[in-house]
Amino acid sequence: MFQGASAITLDAKGRMSIPAKHRDALSIQCEGRLTLTKHPDGCLLMYPRPVWEAKRDQIAAWPMSARGWQRILLGNASDVEMDATGRILVAPELRAAVGLGREVILSGMLTHFEIWDPAKRAENEQATIDVGMPDTLSDFSF
């Protein structure tokens, strides 16, 4: 399970180093094979390949009424592999699509990761807080 946020700097070629705390788990779980795709909230999703393959099959089975969402998620999917030093290349098209610069935040989301521009992530979190807790979480205590 992946959790926590890590500040990461992309190199000049758009490569990012996977934090050591996740690198070993990803090497074991998927031999460093990952899939990146665009999320409509303005970040990238990064899945271990076996997790992505199950998610991909679910998305492919969606009805025609969801064709636009299939294009966003499947049409932007990019398979990558960690190199010997634990880096992956984030394609320029994906970086541009979500406005990633040199500094990014990698957020663990249990089964996958989100890759955010730090300012966009802060805006997204503030917007979530501003809306308030949904009723479905009214019984939840921190």
Side-chain angles (χ1 to χ4, degrees):
M1 295 295 183
F2 308 109
Q3 62 183 18
S6 301
I8 298 173
T9 302
L10 299 181
D11 70 12
K13 295 180 181 179
R15 294 175 298 196
M16 66 178 260
S17 291
I18 303 298
K21 65 182 179 183
H22 301 305
R23 191 178 309 149
D24 292 341
L26 289 170
S27 292
I28 292 166
Q29 182 180 356
C30 62
E31 299 173 340
R33 297 177 314 124
L34 305 163
T35 299
L36 301 172
T37 193
K38 191 165 86 170
H39 188 283
D41 282 350
C43 67
L44 296 179
L45 298 171
M46 183 175 81
Y47 285 92
R49 188 79 45 80
V51 176
W52 169 251
E53 289 170 351
K55 185 70 69 178
R56 178 193 63 202
D57 293 345
Q58 290 175 334
I59 295 167
W62 289 350
M64 285 299 290
S65 60
R67 180 58 102 195
W69 289 104
Q70 287 174 320
R71 282 189 193 103
I72 291 170
L73 295 165
L74 300 176
N76 288 291
S78 173
D79 292 337
V80 298
E81 291 190 26
M82 285 193 305
D83 67 14
T85 61
R87 296 178 304 182
I88 62 164
L89 176 66
V90 182
E93 298 83 4
L94 288 175
R95 293 193 315 262
V98 298
L100 293 182
R102 190 163 158 74
E103 304 299 321
V104 301
I105 301 290
L106 180 71
S107 296
M109 301 296 293
L110 298 183
T111 61
H112 64 283
F113 297 89
E114 294 178 346
I115 304 170
W116 286 92
D117 168 79
K120 194 177 286 189
R121 181 176 185 257
E123 289 171 16
N124 181 278
E125 285 183 358
Q126 189 58 54
T128 299
I129 291 167
D130 291 346
V131 169
M133 280 277 202
D135 290 340
T136 57
L137 298 181
S138 64
D139 293 334
F140 183 79
S141 175
F142 290 99

